[in-house]
Amino acid sequence: MASSNSCSKAHESVHSSPFASRYVQNPTPKYVMPENSMSKEAAAQIINDELMLDGNPRLNLASFVTTWMEPECDKLIMDSINKNYVNMDEYPVTTEIQNRCINMIAHLFNAPLGDSDVAVGAGTVGSSEAIMLAGLAFKRKWQSKRKSDGKAFDKPNLVTGANFHVCWEKFCRYFEVELREVNVREGYYVMDPFEAVEMVDENTICVASIFGSTYNGEFEDVKLLNDLLMKKNKESGWDTPIHVDAASGGFIAPFLYPHLEWDFRLPLVKSINVSGHKYGLVYAGIGWVIWRTRQDLPQQLIFHIDYLGADQSTFTLNFSKGSSQVIAQYYQLIRLGFEVMQNCRDNAMALKEGLQNTGRFTIVSKDIGVPVVAFCLKDRSTHDEFEVSEMLRRFGWIVPAYRMPKGAKHVSVLRVVVREDFSRALAERLLVDIIKVLAELDTLPPKNAAKATALAKDEDAANDSAVKKTAEETEMEIVNAWIDMITKATKITCC
């Protein structure tokens, strides 16, 4: 028996192809590690075979995240992938490169820096971490001010639009801050500055403005928000600040709309986050958070460590972090000019024009904003956007369909994110395939879209009229539901 096994193993070792090995005949290990090892060729082939069933990232038009970089940058990433950025003393050049990125971005956002000033910011895994850090800074500053004034500091709130990214809801849940949402409305799918300022009170740690909405790419009017809030602060004696969530728009506006005031040129804007892995043109995950001045980042939140070889200051939620994305960001900042963003905008406009020429769609995105084309069917009486999205997948395209936020849930849209690698040729190909889908839908029996629209309108009305529950009330409802369920289960068991 032993001799047979030896012969079998020796026989396997001479095969150059993993498809000739015994491993392709066996089920792939899924939930429990196998007892025996396999060859590296077989392991790689098995995984590659399954990954072929994933979508093509280049055709994933749902994502804002970068899916292509130049080969030269790919090599830089691989050469530095084994460096842990947190070891600043061991990798001083990488640390210097991150500091250069922070300063370049701060100048891009018009931070009030002198010739010898160093910008205040941090590299993060993405905008979610950046928002957590900015939110914590606002909460701590608000609490410190309330304590010094001898006032209660246990009920902080944050005001933002219902078009917020889920990371804002995460921040408020994780760090116990009340989230106050400004509902959107049909035809106006971003936060209304007037309604936002009305929601502000003495417990508001900041107003978060979304500069590049996930839903339709639209920029919110940060200047109007700043002006209205300055007036309210003056009347009330408060000092409510603004954070700009520029995850998508932060690397668009400075290049395409340099005269648009949304950044540190506005006095109440105290911090800004931006995603390097979106229009910063770097693979996932890199984000940045920049503070207006050093005084806007509470020193109590900065940690000092010395067990990595030298005294280091750090303010991040994550500790270990790869260096490769930081280096890739620096490559893009010094490599690329204004042409890339202009190409994105031009291709978005070409796609928008092609959709309008079909006569079947209404465009709900704006010309001034992130290069996103959001559109909906003019006639939804027979078919809807979800059917268009589903049928486009047959051609390889991932074009999401979704409902707008609270206040306009009866509006469904399709959205195409025009990234650097979405060429004019791809835009033309997408239009051809959309026209094919429309022609096929016209031959199919109608779907009951009217019923879905009515249900969505009812849901909007219910949301508008409902009184918001406190966290304690929600928690008690969950606890009581569990108690009821356990009680019923116990009775059934006893019977």
Side-chain angles (χ1 to χ4, degrees):
M1 190 69 173
S3 175
S4 175
N5 283 341
S6 298
C7 290
S8 176
K9 290 179 180 178
H11 179 67
E12 281 185 10
S13 66
V14 301
H15 291 298
S16 59
S17 169
F19 292 113
S21 72
R22 61 186 171 89
Y23 301 107
V24 297
Q25 300 175 356
N26 300 329
T28 302
K30 293 182 176 67
Y31 308 113
V32 179
M33 287 182 61
E35 291 184 8
N36 300 316
S37 62
M38 68 174 69
S39 70
K40 60 182 182 291
E41 294 85 2
Q45 189 64 57
I46 287 171
I47 295 171
N48 271 319
D49 286 349
E50 287 204 79
L51 289 176
M52 287 193 302
L53 301 175
D54 266 347
N56 184 338
R58 291 278 304 278
L59 300 182
N60 180 8
L61 305 182
S63 178
F64 287 82
V65 176
T66 296
T67 55
W68 179 87
M69 296 188 75
E70 293 176 321
E72 291 79 6
C73 195
D74 286 344
K75 185 176 187 307
L76 284 172
I77 288 172
M78 293 310 300
D79 289 346
S80 58
I81 203 166
N82 60 348
K83 292 181 182 178
N84 184 2
Y85 171 74
V86 76
N87 296 107
M88 299 180 189
D89 191 54
E90 294 180 31
Y91 309 123
V93 176
T94 301
T95 301
E96 168 63 19
I97 285 176
Q98 173 169 266
N99 292 337
R100 291 179 191 174
C101 290
I102 290 170
N103 279 273
M104 285 182 177
I105 296 169
H107 281 288
L108 202 61
F109 296 165
N110 294 291
L113 298 171
D115 293 337
S116 59
D117 291 340
V118 177
V120 182
T124 61
V125 173
S127 274
S128 291
E129 183 188 5
I131 282 169
M132 303 287 173
L133 298 178
L136 282 170
F138 284 121
K139 183 180 178 183
R140 182 55 60 89
K141 283 184 70 69
W142 174 83
Q143 287 178 325
S144 298
K145 178 70 165 57
R146 299 284 290 181
K147 288 178 184 178
S148 65
D149 293 344
K151 297 179 179 179
F153 53 90
D154 60 335
K155 294 182 179 179
N157 68 67
L158 180 147
V159 177
T160 191
N163 57 313
F164 62 80
H165 190 279
V166 70
C167 54
W168 283 104
E169 189 172 10
K170 285 184 177 181
F171 165 74
C172 290
R173 283 197 199 178
Y174 294 166
F175 297 104
E176 298 180 323
V177 175
E178 178 194 351
L179 178 63
R180 296 185 174 180
E181 303 175 39
V182 179
N183 284 357
V184 303
R185 56 184 180 271
E186 186 170 352
Y188 194 90
Y189 302 112
V190 293
M191 180 178 71
D192 185 325
F194 290 95
E195 292 185 29
V197 172
E198 279 294 315
M199 288 188 178
V200 170
D201 61 23
E202 62 180 352
N203 293 322
T204 303
I205 63 173
C206 78
V207 179
S209 182
I210 314 299
F211 196 70
S213 173
T214 299
Y215 290 87
N216 68 344
E218 187 174 349
F219 293 156
E220 291 183 350
D221 193 339
V222 188
K223 187 178 187 310
L224 177 57
L225 175 65
N226 177 86
D227 295 344
L228 294 172
L229 198 51
M230 284 188 71
K231 181 180 179 182
K232 184 160 189 172
N233 284 344
K234 185 176 180 181
E235 293 171 350
S236 62
W238 304 331
D239 191 23
T240 307
I242 295 172
H243 174 86
V244 179
D245 178 359
S248 301
F251 281 129
I252 293 292
F255 301 105
L256 296 183
Y257 315 106
H259 301 300
L260 190 64
E261 293 185 42
W262 63 275
D263 51 21
F264 292 123
R265 285 170 287 185
L266 304 174
L268 291 184
V269 174
K270 303 299 183 182
S271 55
I272 301 172
N273 69 279
V274 65
S275 289
H277 59 222
K278 291 184 180 176
Y279 286 99
L281 307 181
V282 178
Y283 297 135
I286 182 72
W288 304 93
V289 57
I290 311 293
W291 282 273
R292 183 185 189 87
T293 66
R294 192 165 297 277
Q295 290 70 38
D296 295 306
L297 175 58
Q299 290 300 306
Q300 308 97 303
L301 295 176
I302 299 176
F303 292 84
H304 292 270
I305 57 174
D306 60 5
Y307 49 79
L308 292 175
D311 180 68
Q312 300 172 191
S313 61
T314 177
F315 179 38
T316 57
L317 296 180
N318 295 287
F319 191 65
S320 294
K321 181 177 68 175
S323 298
S324 53
Q325 259 67 13
V326 173
I327 291 166
Q329 183 71 84
Y330 185 57
Y331 173 90
Q332 297 290 47
L333 288 173
I334 66 174
R335 161 81 175 93
L336 299 174
F338 286 54
E339 295 87 354
V340 171
M341 299 308 168
Q342 187 62 51
N343 287 344
C344 290
R345 184 185 183 281
D346 290 347
N347 288 334
M349 291 301 101
L351 177 60
K352 171 191 168 184
E353 183 179 350
L355 291 168
Q356 288 175 321
N357 289 341
T358 67
R360 303 285 293 270
F361 296 106
T362 298
I363 306 298
V364 299
S365 50
K366 305 294 182 182
D367 290 351
I368 296 179
V370 177
V372 163
V373 183
F375 52 103
C376 60
L377 288 165
K378 289 181 178 179
D379 181 5
R380 300 180 73 250
S381 61
T382 55
H383 299 286
D384 61 21
E385 293 79 9
F386 296 92
E387 291 175 276
V388 175
S389 174
E390 184 178 350
M391 293 180 71
L392 281 173
R393 284 179 176 265
R394 296 191 329 213
F395 298 95
W397 301 107
I398 300 175
V399 178
Y402 53 88
R403 301 195 185 283
M404 290 305 241
K406 282 193 292 187
K409 282 187 177 293
H410 58 285
V411 178
S412 300
V413 300
L414 295 149
R415 187 195 68 204
V416 172
V417 179
V418 178
R419 300 188 302 268
E420 175 191 16
D421 56 352
F422 187 75
S423 64
R424 182 65 63 87
L426 284 178
E428 292 170 354
R429 184 72 251 173
L430 175 60
L431 281 168
V432 168
D433 291 338
I434 288 174
I435 292 169
K436 288 180 182 177
V437 165
L438 294 174
E440 184 172 348
L441 283 174
D442 289 342
T443 67
L444 297 177
K447 178 182 176 181
N448 192 0
K451 182 178 179 182
T453 301
L455 288 173
K457 285 185 176 180
D458 290 343
E459 184 182 349
D460 268 352
N463 285 328
D464 291 340
S465 61
V467 177
K468 287 195 174 182
K469 299 181 180 68
T470 65
E472 290 79 10
E473 288 172 336
T474 303
E475 186 175 346
M476 284 307 300
E477 283 187 5
I478 295 170
V479 171
N480 291 333
W482 273 102
I483 292 172
D484 290 344
M485 186 175 71
I486 293 168
T487 302
K488 290 176 182 177
T490 304
K491 289 179 179 178
I492 292 170
T493 304
C494 292
C495 294

